[in-house]
Amino acid sequence: MNQKVYITKHLVEDLRKECDGRAVNGVFFLVDENTRKLCLPLLMEDDFFSKVTVIEIKANDDHKSLESLASVWTSLQKNGATRKSLMINLGGGMVTDLGGFAASTFKRGMEYVNVPTTLLGAVDAAVGGKTGINFGGLKNEIGVINSSKSVVINADFFRTLDAENLRSGYAEMIKHGLISNTEIWKHILSFDLDNVDYNRLSELLLESISVKEKVVEIDPTEKGLRKVLNFGHTVGHAFESYAMEMGKPVLHGYAVAWGMISELYLSYKLLGFPKETLSTAVRMIKENYGALPIKCDIYDHLYDLMTHDKKNEGDGRILFSLLKNIGEIEINVAVSKKDILDSLDFYRETVGLA
Ligand code: GLY
């Protein structure tokens, strides 16, 4: 992965460097209506960037669509973009995923830079080159893996995030802690989400991103190892879809945190993950993430949702990425329906629903 990832203290100057001497008409910003209002003004103070074409898409995952993508291609075309142009994606995961795909495909590919504006985007979506859109009712159905030139993180953006969005991003950092090593895991456990020390958060963020970078370096196209980044997501995505169906969507990181409770239990039951570490981890998740209220009469539906997981290989088995211990990974673990339902019982007991 030839992607440079860094935290900047001088966003304008560093982004100017990322432009590599391109003229104003060779640079494009992609924003959504929120980042246009809240983040773009910081860049518009600069004489060069104030003249750059700004392309805006609608915020939220339901606009991560072919229509939005086509509108970005059209704007690039109308404004004379070439394959030497640069796209700067300023936003959360939706903007960096869609913008990365638009740039990767326009005239067969122009360079792009991600400037994540959420913690979740910085720790996950902006890094590792996965790009794409939702299609036919399925998330991230169409896309390519093509790394951005750089990921430029302005940690000041995270100071404006509300407590829930901060926790949502932190859930992916918990996941990176669990799949890496005991030292990083200890750092993750010792961070106080109620009294956020933003400097410490930046340090932990870089450490956490390096966990993902190492995995992606070895397996950029998810032939094997990269599936570990999906820890907590098999059950988590089912929770997320269910909440959406109920008309009460939850933040992605919350669903992953709850999913990790079930998947830590499966790790304990099937692979001997240590009981004490299981207790510490689930307590920490419970204290910080509360619970998605579910009853046992929706277990079958949750199970059905899990049969659509991208890690499955079409033979009816549900495949998980699980852990033997902190940092000891096992991918493609087929789990029986009974064990999956037991893990949902464990989730409900842990969060106090049973
Ligand atoms: N979000 C998981 C990955 O990038 O592989």
Side-chain angles (χ1 to χ4, degrees):
M1 193 175 61
N2 302 317
Q3 183 173 55
K4 204 167 40 150
V5 183
Y6 59 96
I7 292 191
T8 178
K9 293 234 177 301
H10 308 283
L11 182 63
V12 172
E13 287 81 349
D14 283 332
L15 276 186
R16 281 292 293 276
K17 284 187 204 137
E18 294 294 343
C19 294
D20 287 333
R22 287 173 174 89
V24 160
N25 62 3
V27 181
F28 295 82
F29 279 123
L30 182 70
V31 294
D32 63 25
E33 62 251 51
N34 300 325
T35 57
R36 176 169 218 146
K37 256 188 269 146
L38 300 173
C39 306
L40 192 65
L42 205 70
L43 295 164
M44 287 295 141
E45 284 169 12
D46 179 66
D47 191 44
F48 178 87
F49 286 131
S50 68
K51 297 187 195 106
V52 159
T53 302
V54 177
I55 304 173
E56 182 179 322
I57 51 176
K58 289 210 168 76
N60 294 327
D61 208 61
D62 39 331
H63 293 113
K64 196 171 155 183
S65 61
L66 193 55
E67 292 70 37
S68 304
L69 176 68
S71 75
V72 177
W73 283 329
T74 303
S75 299
L76 288 170
Q77 197 175 47
K78 278 196 180 144
N79 289 287
T82 73
R83 65 162 60 150
K84 294 228 161 65
S85 301
L86 179 77
M87 176 110 111
I88 301 178
N89 299 318
L90 186 65
M94 184 265 180
V95 169
T96 57
D97 275 11
L98 188 146
F101 188 42
S104 301
T105 46
F106 186 77
K107 294 199 191 280
R108 300 205 180 95
M110 57 193 252
E111 285 191 313
Y112 70 99
V113 169
N114 283 338
V115 184
T117 55
T118 62
L119 185 62
L120 183 66
V123 74
D124 193 19
V127 179
K130 278 189 181 172
T131 72
I133 55 164
N134 305 330
F135 186 72
L138 296 173
K139 281 176 70 109
N140 301 324
E141 182 73 347
I142 310 287
V144 293
I145 295 184
N146 176 43
S147 285
S148 64
K149 176 178 185 283
S150 307
V151 180
V152 185
I153 300 169
N154 176 38
D156 284 343
F157 287 145
F158 309 144
R159 288 177 188 269
T160 60
L161 292 177
D162 58 37
E164 285 72 33
N165 275 290
L166 204 85
R167 274 178 166 71
S168 180
Y170 199 74
E172 295 284 357
M173 293 170 64
I174 296 174
K175 178 197 78 184
H176 287 162
L178 287 166
I179 66 169
S180 58
N181 59 54
T182 46
E183 202 192 329
I184 298 184
W185 175 236
K186 271 192 212 138
H187 295 165
I188 289 295
L189 281 178
S190 64
F191 188 73
D192 184 355
L193 280 162
D194 291 320
N195 296 295
V196 176
D197 171 346
Y198 287 94
N199 293 329
R200 181 70 183 141
L201 183 65
S202 292
E203 288 165 10
L204 294 190
L205 174 62
L206 278 182
E207 193 170 62
S208 191
I209 290 173
S210 76
V211 173
K212 176 161 183 177
E213 284 182 294
K214 278 188 199 124
V215 171
V216 175
E217 186 95 45
I218 296 168
D219 179 21
T221 54
E222 203 163 304
K223 298 274 185 293
L225 179 68
R226 187 165 182 169
K227 292 182 190 168
V228 71
L229 296 175
N230 234 260
F231 179 70
H233 285 63
T234 315
V235 178
H237 278 149
F239 284 162
E240 197 173 6
S241 301
Y242 171 71
M244 180 82 87
E245 288 166 4
M246 292 295 103
K248 290 185 179 160
V250 295
L251 294 174
H252 175 71
Y254 277 68
V256 171
W258 300 322
M260 283 192 285
I261 295 181
S262 284
E263 297 191 22
L264 281 164
Y265 172 79
L266 291 172
S267 299
Y268 156 73
K269 183 165 181 200
L270 304 177
L271 303 181
F273 186 87
K275 198 168 182 179
E276 209 174 295
T277 319
L278 167 76
S279 306
T280 313
V282 300
R283 197 178 326 116
M284 187 256 198
I285 294 172
K286 181 189 164 182
E287 279 165 11
N288 284 290
Y289 293 87
L292 175 77
I294 56 164
K295 292 200 179 122
C296 41
D297 59 0
I298 60 137
Y299 282 8
D300 276 332
H301 179 53
L302 290 172
Y303 181 82
D304 269 356
L305 289 169
M306 288 178 223
T307 61
H308 295 290
D309 190 276
K310 282 197 182 64
K311 293 188 294 310
N312 299 333
E313 292 173 357
D315 55 6
R317 297 177 310 154
I318 300 192
L319 300 179
F320 283 74
S321 302
L322 297 178
L323 301 172
K324 285 192 235 163
N325 204 334
I326 302 286
E328 289 182 39
I329 296 149
E330 193 140 323
I331 55 168
N332 299 330
V333 185
V335 180
S336 68
K337 181 166 179 181
K338 179 180 179 311
D339 284 336
I340 293 176
L341 301 195
D342 280 355
S343 81
L344 295 173
D345 272 344
F346 177 79
Y347 162 79
R348 290 179 63 238
E349 279 156 26
T350 303
V351 298
L353 293 170

